[in-house]
Amino acid sequence: MSPRKAELTAGQREKLLRSIWLLHDGRWFLKAVEEFGFDAATKLNLAVVRSIASTEMKQLLAEMDFGVVGNMGDFQTLMQVAADLYFPEEHKHEFEVVDNNTFVGHVLECYVHKMVSKAGTAAVHRCAAKLRFDSWCRAMGLDGVVINEKDTNNCNGTCDIIFEIKW
Amino acid sequence: MRALARDELKEVLIKNWMTHDGMWFYHCLQECGIEKTNRINKAAVRAMGIIEIKRIQKAVGIEKVETLEDFRSLVGAAWDIVKADFMKATFSLPADNILRGDFEQCFAYEGIKQIGAIDQYQCGIFERIYGWFDGVGMKYSVSPEVEGCMMHTDGKCFREITFTFDK
């Protein structure tokens, strides 16, 4: 009997890797909740997000030989590449360049909100998006502010994340 | 700036995933010590492995592992999907029902040594692989049975996993 064909396209492989990465992160969070409770696990999760976000952006910059992020065009390009690489397909969003200093990520369907709602913890979950994007901006060497006025308990899976960048 | 090839994308995803895992370990260690961190890490990775293999099975179309051929195909597919170049590990099938994993270097050993916890670290790498076999519902035994880090104690690391097939 010949072996069954068990090959994936690169796109299928990447999609699977993203989904298992998220799964692993979720298991860390759940096991931490079981061990320490929700508040302590949330505190840990936020600390972890801040750290990994910086690393994921620095690594991407290095792999792409991106150089200096010097204007809104560079920023937009990098945000698009990072989103394509790191966000799962089910995360629906649009980017908008408002002006030379303002960039908005319109989140239409948030994958985190979807997972957290499924787990029944949306009322107490703390959104880490602002922390993640603050870390991305720092990793890009940018002087800027990230504004997200919503949290998991009041976003209903949609929000606008505003980046105000000084060049 | 240069575009990344598909294999480079895979490498970036897995590197960041493993760094994310390492950051959970590090922050957990700071918050609650090595004993609880080992427990959470192993529980999280085992739970992840059980679901991970089911997703891989679905993706590659090997829903049931009943024969040696199914097993070979699934292990080969899983390895292709989740192994990155920086993981200096190989697997072989020295006999029909034995899988051997050898680590020339181990990124977990290197990382945990860096944060000063290697003396008490309990291996999470093989927990993931045991999670795969638990997820598939296979019967197996492991030799040697190691609780700590074999790379740390012996300067090399391997396991032989012996399976029992019904067909």
Side-chain angles (χ1 to χ4, degrees):
Chain A
M1 190 173 73
S2 61
R4 283 201 251 170
K5 190 170 168 60
E7 286 177 9
L8 300 180
T9 65
Q12 287 174 313
R13 187 179 64 187
E14 287 152 22
K15 186 178 171 187
L16 197 52
L17 287 172
R18 273 184 215 103
S19 87
I20 302 170
W21 177 359
L22 281 174
L23 170 71
H24 194 186
D25 181 40
R27 296 306 117 172
W28 261 109
F29 184 74
L30 284 177
K31 298 298 172 186
V33 169
E34 284 171 19
E35 195 77 37
F36 316 122
F38 202 87
D39 289 347
T42 297
K43 186 179 153 197
L44 268 176
N45 183 47
L46 295 176
V48 170
V49 168
R50 191 182 286 119
S51 305
I52 185 60
S54 173
T55 302
E56 68 187 356
M57 184 49 70
K58 282 180 184 166
Q59 196 155 64
L60 186 58
L61 286 163
E63 294 282 345
M64 293 174 69
D65 293 329
F66 199 92
V68 175
V69 183
N71 55 50
M72 186 53 84
D74 291 344
F75 183 72
Q76 184 184 15
T77 301
L78 195 51
M79 288 298 288
Q80 195 59 60
V81 172
D84 290 346
L85 181 60
Y86 294 130
F87 296 166
E89 262 178 26
E90 56 268 34
H91 186 70
K92 307 295 182 201
H93 68 280
E94 289 170 359
F95 288 144
E96 180 190 4
V97 176
V98 177
D99 58 40
N100 198 36
N101 299 98
T102 312
F103 180 91
V104 181
H106 300 284
V107 179
L108 310 174
E109 286 177 40
C110 174
Y111 72 100
V112 176
H113 189 270
K114 198 176 279 182
M115 290 193 306
V116 167
S117 298
K118 207 170 160 184
T121 54
V124 286
H125 182 266
R126 293 274 313 280
C127 177
K130 177 182 154 42
L131 279 179
R132 187 178 192 184
F133 296 127
D134 273 336
S135 287
W136 277 17
C137 288
R138 271 199 302 278
M140 291 180 207
L142 299 180
D143 178 10
V145 179
V146 178
I147 301 161
N148 180 14
E149 292 179 343
K150 291 184 179 175
D151 206 333
T152 317
N153 63 0
N154 63 6
C155 72
N156 201 26
T158 66
C159 68
D160 286 339
I161 298 171
I162 302 163
F163 298 75
E164 291 179 351
I165 314 285
K166 292 179 194 163
W167 302 107
Chain B
M1 184 185 94
R2 66 184 188 85
L4 299 178
R6 294 319 276 259
D7 282 351
E8 291 175 310
L9 286 179
K10 177 191 169 189
E11 202 71 14
V12 171
L13 281 172
I14 298 178
K15 264 188 202 166
N16 279 295
W17 170 6
M18 293 302 117
T19 307
H20 194 179
D21 179 41
M23 284 172 177
W24 264 111
F25 192 95
Y26 174 76
H27 285 282
C28 212
L29 180 67
Q30 301 305 308
E31 198 68 27
C32 60
I34 188 68
E35 200 179 311
K36 282 187 178 176
T37 301
N38 273 328
R39 195 157 61 230
I40 295 172
N41 178 41
K42 289 201 296 182
V45 77
R46 188 106 173 199
M48 184 272 287
I50 289 171
I51 304 172
E52 174 180 37
I53 199 65
K54 290 179 195 297
R55 291 191 185 173
I56 292 173
Q57 283 181 272
K58 193 175 175 190
V60 300
I62 304 174
E63 305 273 351
K64 284 186 181 174
V65 179
E66 292 173 328
T67 65
L68 176 65
E69 204 50 63
D70 297 338
F71 170 72
R72 281 173 183 268
S73 298
L74 182 60
V75 170
W79 197 249
D80 281 349
I81 293 163
V82 305
K83 185 192 168 291
D85 287 346
F86 70 88
M87 299 169 168
K88 302 296 180 194
T90 54
F91 86 87
S92 57
L93 297 160
D96 278 353
N97 63 334
I98 297 177
L99 175 100
R100 183 182 165 107
D102 280 277
F103 277 76
E104 187 189 322
Q105 295 165 21
C106 176
F107 64 94
Y109 162 70
E110 296 296 340
I112 304 293
K113 192 170 66 170
Q114 244 178 23
I115 61 174
I118 197 64
D119 282 337
Q120 293 167 282
Y121 172 66
Q122 295 182 350
C123 180
I125 300 294
F126 280 98
E127 285 294 319
R128 178 183 185 179
I129 295 167
Y130 304 152
W132 291 358
F133 301 132
D134 291 345
V136 172
M138 297 185 75
K139 295 171 200 153
Y140 64 94
S141 60
V142 178
S143 176
E145 288 183 12
V146 178
E147 202 174 60
C149 172
M150 192 179 187
M151 191 65 86
H152 178 56
T153 55
D154 295 30
K156 63 180 178 183
C157 181
F158 71 93
R159 300 288 189 283
E160 283 196 347
I161 304 162
T162 304
F163 298 93
T164 308
F165 293 96
D166 294 332
K167 290 184 186 175

